[in-house]
Structure formats: structure tokens, C-alpha cells
Amino acid sequence: MMQTAVTEMFDIRYPIIQGGLQGLGTSPLVSAVSNAGGLGLITAGSFSSKEEMLEDIESARKLTSKPFGVNIALGIRKPMDEFVEGAIEARVPIVFTSGNNPEKYMESLKANGIKVVHVVPSVRFARKAESIGCDAVVVVGYECGGHPGKEDVTSLTLIQKAVQELSIPVIAAGGFSTGKSALAAFALGAQGVQMGTRFLASRETALHESIKDKLIKLQETDTLLVKKSIGKAMRVMKTERAIELLKKEEGGAALEEIFPYISGESYMELIKNGNEHSGVISLGQTIGLIDEIKKTEDIIKDIVQEYEQQLEYLYRNFNRQERSYCLVKKTR
């Protein structure tokens, strides 16, 4: 019941894709997502070198025989040429890119039979991705964890608009963590959903347990946008450190003043050691719908079951209402 252009393209059971999670999108989580029928993505930004990434790709292959891909954020942290080369060298079948335009890599990726999907925060960038030969796009709305773009448009509008204007499959991201939200995405015309925050709160992520414990207590209001002052808006978990960063930005702080809050070192201190007073971590508004840390297998089972139950509920109830309406018309 969940077969779409995306499941066919990636040869997966369910059109459920793990979002790129820096430092956390590694083989234990990636293999768990793929084994459960979704698409796991090795996050290149988790590694200091191509060689480290290749080692983790091999680890993932020992843990799953199912398809998985590599997520590469271009030009965000450092030049990523070696990681693109690594994905080709490892014969990974799928590469997701984000950040800068992937056009310079398209010829070599496609020549090696790799499906390329670009993550975009606007329809304008989605059209560009299609024009350079991307096989699909991930469209992220304002609700997403990480980078929602500069236009503050929600998923409800953005996904419909992208579907109207593109001929390649659209994957919905930003606010999706449940079966009901997946059904809504498909109703909007999307062919798949990408979930970051939902898989962040899973047993297989290498996130410190104290942060996981905090996640399940948070509400949809417990995120905020930082880094707007440097043109890279980012939705993160609302912590004292994040609030402090936001106040500095609002006060006109220079990049040198805010860098300690957003550096890779401070982020790793947060996710590995649970130090909330170090850095900030991406988090979507859909965290308000997550109240338990579960095995990835169970997360995907729950999503599929809720999707099917909600679809059945709509079919039964709307059909009943339609029949009742027709009966009333006939008796008048």
C-alpha cells in the first residue's frame, strides 16, 4: 500500500528515508533503517576523511544487504570532493546532496549509475535540481530541523507547489514523523517522506542518552531558529545555550562571537558527552509528537501501521458520509 516512484527508484519496501544526521548518520542507524524497509543514509559530515567514511560504508554492508545511500552536505563545513569520490569508489547506489549546487558532480555520479537526490528549501531550487538531472528532490518546509531556508514557507504549501511544477518525484521533509503525516504527504503529491528528528530519537543513534531522555519530554514549541544573522537559518533544540546564541545574534554579534556556539567541536561535545552548555543540535517541530525512544524497526512498523489505519479510517468514514448524503438526496 506504500509503493511509490521512490520505492521503485531505490528498490526499498517503504518510501521512508532517514534524514542526514551529522555525527549520527552512521552504520548502526543506517543499517537499521534499511533493514526495516526504509532507506538509510550514511552522513558524510560525520567523518573527518573519505577513508573513515569508506570504513563505515563497509560496516553498514556487513549489517544489511538492503540498499542504503550517502548524504553529502556540499560546501557547508568543508570541501566535500573527496566524499563524492568516496561514494563513487564504494559503488553506493544513491547519493543525497544538500547545501550548494551539486551540478559539478552530476556527470561523474550519473556515469557511475548513481541516483542523485538534492535537498532544497524552495521550489526555485527544486526546479534547478531537476534541470541539472537530479532523479528526485527532497523539499524541506519551515518545520524542519536543520536548515529550512530563508522564506519561512511551511511543508503544507511548499510540497504541493513543488509537485505541481516538477516532473521528478518529490520527497517531503519537515514535520514528518508519523504514519498520519506520511499519509498527508502522499495526499499532497509527494512520493516519499524523509525523517530526521524521528530517527534522531531512536535507540540506534549514537546520541548521548541524557539528550535522548530530554528529547521525549519536549513539545513542538521547544525549538528555535538560530544562525539567521549569517544567512544560514537553522532550527535547533531550545536550550539555554541556544537561547544565549539567539540573543547574541539579535544584539548584532559578529561571526567570531557566535562561532563557539556553532562549531563542529561544540556540537560533538553535545552529542557525544551530553553537554547542553556546549553547542546546539538540529531539531524539528515534530519533536512534540515523539514521546518514546524506540528501536528503528519499531519506529518504521508504527509509521506503516498508523498510515494503514488512518487510510482505512478515511476510506470507511468518508464513504459512509457519501452514502448518507446520496440517500438524503434520493429521499427529498
Side-chain angles (χ1 to χ4, degrees):
M1 294 177 68
M2 296 182 77
Q3 298 303 296
T4 71
V6 162
T7 58
E8 182 178 349
M9 180 182 296
F10 300 147
D11 192 25
I12 55 179
R13 185 174 183 184
Y14 305 121
I16 299 170
I17 299 159
Q18 165 227 320
L21 300 171
Q22 187 174 334
L24 302 169
T26 55
S27 53
L29 174 63
V30 171
S31 60
V33 173
S34 291
N35 280 332
L39 181 70
L41 295 176
I42 297 277
T43 305
S46 302
F47 310 101
S48 61
S49 68
K50 177 183 77 171
E51 288 69 29
E52 281 189 10
M53 184 184 77
L54 290 175
E55 287 179 10
D56 201 52
I57 289 172
E58 287 309 305
S59 295
R61 284 179 169 150
K62 292 175 182 177
L63 294 169
T64 184
S65 60
K66 303 299 176 71
F68 64 87
V70 170
N71 179 292
I72 306 175
L74 302 173
I76 301 300
R77 188 164 64 94
K78 59 184 179 180
M80 301 300 282
D81 294 18
E82 66 171 309
F83 294 96
V84 175
E85 293 168 4
I88 294 171
E89 182 180 329
R91 298 186 180 278
V92 172
I94 305 154
V95 166
F96 279 52
T97 59
S98 61
N100 289 348
N101 188 335
E103 187 168 9
K104 74 173 184 175
Y105 303 111
M106 291 299 295
E107 184 176 352
S108 57
L109 289 169
K110 302 291 282 185
N112 284 276
I114 295 173
K115 300 292 185 185
V116 183
V117 182
H118 193 51
V119 181
V120 298
S122 72
V123 176
R124 176 168 64 91
F125 291 134
R127 288 196 299 263
K128 179 63 176 178
E130 180 176 40
S131 73
I132 64 173
C134 288
D135 296 281
V137 291
V138 176
V139 177
V140 296
Y142 179 72
E143 305 93 326
C144 75
H147 301 283
K150 301 178 181 180
E151 296 168 349
D152 297 352
V153 182
T154 66
S155 298
L156 183 63
T157 297
L158 200 53
I159 293 159
Q160 290 185 79
K161 182 74 170 175
V163 169
Q164 288 176 8
E165 298 202 13
L166 302 180
S167 58
I168 58 175
V170 171
I171 298 165
F176 301 95
S177 67
T178 64
K180 289 179 180 177
S181 61
L183 181 58
F186 301 146
L188 297 175
Q191 297 291 308
V193 288
Q194 185 171 51
M195 301 179 177
T197 298
R198 175 61 272 194
F199 290 118
L200 180 71
S202 67
R203 290 189 189 176
E204 288 83 357
T205 54
L207 183 64
H208 195 275
E209 291 301 317
S210 67
I211 304 299
K212 289 187 184 181
D213 290 341
K214 179 167 184 174
L215 288 179
I216 59 176
K217 300 172 185 175
L218 299 179
Q219 302 304 315
E220 64 277 6
T221 53
D222 289 320
T223 72
L224 50 80
L225 288 171
V226 297
K227 296 173 65 174
K228 292 182 78 172
S229 66
I230 58 173
K232 297 182 182 295
M234 179 178 179
R235 186 176 298 284
V236 301
M237 181 169 67
K238 185 188 291 184
T239 62
E240 289 183 9
R241 186 68 167 168
I243 293 170
E244 187 178 326
L245 169 58
L246 183 60
K247 288 180 178 177
K248 280 188 174 292
E249 289 192 81
E250 291 173 343
L255 176 60
E256 292 75 17
E257 295 178 75
I258 68 173
F259 183 75
Y261 296 81
I262 61 175
S263 70
E265 291 78 10
S266 63
Y267 172 72
M268 295 304 292
E269 174 68 16
L270 170 65
I271 66 170
K272 297 300 183 185
N273 298 322
N275 184 359
E276 289 183 35
H277 303 290
S278 177
V280 295
I281 182 171
S282 296
L283 194 68
Q285 291 179 330
T286 196
I287 190 62
L289 297 170
I290 300 169
D291 58 10
E292 186 177 356
I293 303 296
K294 293 185 176 184
K295 291 175 60 177
T296 296
E297 178 183 9
D298 293 330
I299 289 172
I300 291 182
K301 281 182 179 177
D302 288 349
I303 291 168
V304 174
Q305 182 179 42
E306 186 180 79
Y307 165 87
E308 291 176 343
Q309 289 174 344
Q310 187 66 13
L311 187 61
E312 177 68 14
Y313 169 82
L314 293 173
Y315 177 78
R316 288 181 179 275
N317 282 272
F318 279 81
N319 271 2
R320 185 182 301 120
Q321 291 173 18
E322 184 179 350
R323 288 195 297 270
S324 298
Y325 175 72
C326 291
L327 182 62
V328 169
K329 284 185 70 178
K330 286 180 181 178
T331 58
R332 285 181 177 172

